[in-house]
Amino acid sequence: MGQLVSRKVKQDAETKLTEKRFSAALDIVAYLKENHHEVGIFRYPGREVIRKQILRLLQRGDRMGLGALLRPGVEMESSAAFCSFLQNLKDPLIPCRVQQLISADNQVPDDVVAIDALGLIYQELSGIHLKLVIQTLELFRLINQNSSRNELASISLAVVLLPILMDIKTWTKRWKDVALILHEMILQSDSWKPIMFNAKRDNVMAGRYDVKT
C-alpha cells in the first residue's frame, strides 16, 4: 500500500504544472506560434526519438535544453510533445467543471456556450494555469486561421484536440457537438477579456445550464 501511495505522490509531482514547466511550455508555444503555418502541425507525431526528448525536457522545465532543440524542422515533434504534456497534467488544462458545461446536452447555441465556457475558465483558474490556457488557445487560433495551408480544416483542429483537452469517455456519442463548441472557443479566444465576465453574466449562466459541481 505504501508503495502505491509513494508512486502516486511521485506521479503527481511529475505532472504538476510548476513555474519551471510553465516557462518551458511557453517556450514551446512561442516556437509553435512562429511556425504555425507548417503543414502537419498537430496532425503528425514526427520522429519518436526527438518527440520523446522534447517531452522529457518540457517535463523537467529545462529551457536551455529546449532552446537547443527548438530549431526549424522539429515542428511536428514539438506539437506532439506539447500535446502529451497537456494530456498528462495533474490538473487538466480545461477544468472539469468547464468540460461539464461544454458537454452538457443543453439547447443553447454553440457560440453562446463557448463564450460562457471561456468565462467559466476565468472564474475557475488563476496564475500560471490560466496563463497557459490563454496562450494555448491563442496558438490554436493562429493554426485555425492558417487551416488552408496546414491541412487542418477549421473544425478538424478541434476534433484532433478533443482527446487532448477533454475527457471523452463519458460523452463519446456527442463528440461532434463538443468539437463544435471547442471550435467556437478557439475562434472566440482572440476577443476574450476577463472584464466580459461579471457577476451579472454569472447569474445568466446559472439559469441557462444544468452544470454539475
Side-chain angles (χ1 to χ4, degrees), residues 47-62:
R47 294 157 289 183
E48 183 178 8
V49 173
I50 297 178
R51 185 179 73 248
K52 288 183 176 180
Q53 189 175 3
I54 292 173
L55 178 58
R56 282 195 297 270
L57 293 169
L58 184 51
Q59 290 171 333
R60 293 173 188 166
D62 186 348

Side-chain angles (χ1 to χ4, degrees), residues 136-153:
T136 301
L137 287 175
E138 171 65 16
L139 168 62
F140 295 153
R141 187 178 66 82
L142 286 174
I143 295 172
N144 181 81
Q145 289 178 338
N146 206 53
S147 58
S148 61
R149 290 190 60 186
N150 61 33
E151 295 184 345
L152 273 178

Side-chain angles (χ1 to χ4, degrees), residues 1-211:
M1 180 67 177
Q3 290 181 338
L4 291 175
V5 173
S6 298
R7 190 179 305 163
K8 184 179 186 304
V9 170
K10 181 180 179 182
Q11 184 180 30
D12 287 350
E14 290 176 347
T15 58
K16 183 179 180 181
L17 183 63
T18 62
E19 288 283 354
K20 286 180 64 177
R21 290 182 184 131
F22 169 67
S23 296
L26 289 190
D27 288 345
I28 290 275
V29 170
Y31 171 78
L32 293 174
K33 282 182 178 180
E34 292 175 1
N35 298 278
H36 68 274
H37 58 279
E38 289 295 325
V39 174
I41 195 169
F42 282 102
R43 189 181 183 103
Y44 304 113
R47 294 157 289 183
E48 183 178 8
V49 173
I50 297 178
R51 185 179 73 248
K52 288 183 176 180
Q53 189 175 3
I54 292 173
L55 178 58
R56 282 195 297 270
L57 293 169
L58 184 51
Q59 290 171 333
R60 293 173 188 166
D62 186 348
R63 299 184 66 190
M64 185 174 295
L66 277 176
L69 272 181
L70 298 181
R71 297 288 185 265
V74 296
E75 293 82 8
M76 265 60 76
E77 292 83 358
S78 297
S79 62
F82 185 57
C83 285
S84 296
F85 173 77
L86 295 179
Q87 204 165 12
N88 293 322
L89 284 176
K90 178 177 180 290
D91 299 314
L93 186 71
I94 296 182
C96 294
R97 189 159 175 254
V98 179
Q99 294 192 35
Q100 291 171 349
L101 170 63
I102 297 171
S103 58
D105 191 8
N106 292 294
Q107 302 301 313
V108 181
D110 296 337
D111 58 337
V112 175
V113 180
I115 287 292
D116 289 341
L118 290 170
L120 190 54
I121 285 175
Y122 175 71
Q123 295 171 35
E124 293 279 307
L125 300 179
S126 61
I128 58 177
H129 195 158
L130 178 59
K131 292 176 183 177
L132 183 58
V133 172
I134 293 172
Q135 291 298 317
T136 301
L137 287 175
E138 171 65 16
L139 168 62
F140 295 153
R141 187 178 66 82
L142 286 174
I143 295 172
N144 181 81
Q145 289 178 338
N146 206 53
S147 58
S148 61
R149 290 190 60 186
N150 61 33
E151 295 184 345
L152 273 178
S154 294
I155 188 61
S156 297
L157 176 60
V159 173
V160 169
L161 296 173
L162 272 183
I164 297 161
L165 301 179
M166 304 281 291
D167 180 3
I168 65 173
K169 294 190 294 291
T170 58
W171 42 267
T172 305
K173 294 181 180 179
R174 297 195 63 249
W175 69 268
K176 291 182 180 179
D177 297 329
V178 177
L180 286 170
I181 295 171
L182 181 58
H183 172 62
E184 286 293 336
M185 289 175 65
I186 293 171
L187 293 180
Q188 297 284 353
S189 63
D190 64 327
S191 58
W192 176 33
K193 303 294 182 184
I195 198 172
M196 293 167 57
F197 309 106
N198 50 34
K200 184 180 295 185
R201 186 168 186 81
D202 295 344
N203 293 333
V204 173
M205 286 178 60
R208 184 181 290 159
Y209 302 102
D210 180 19
V211 182

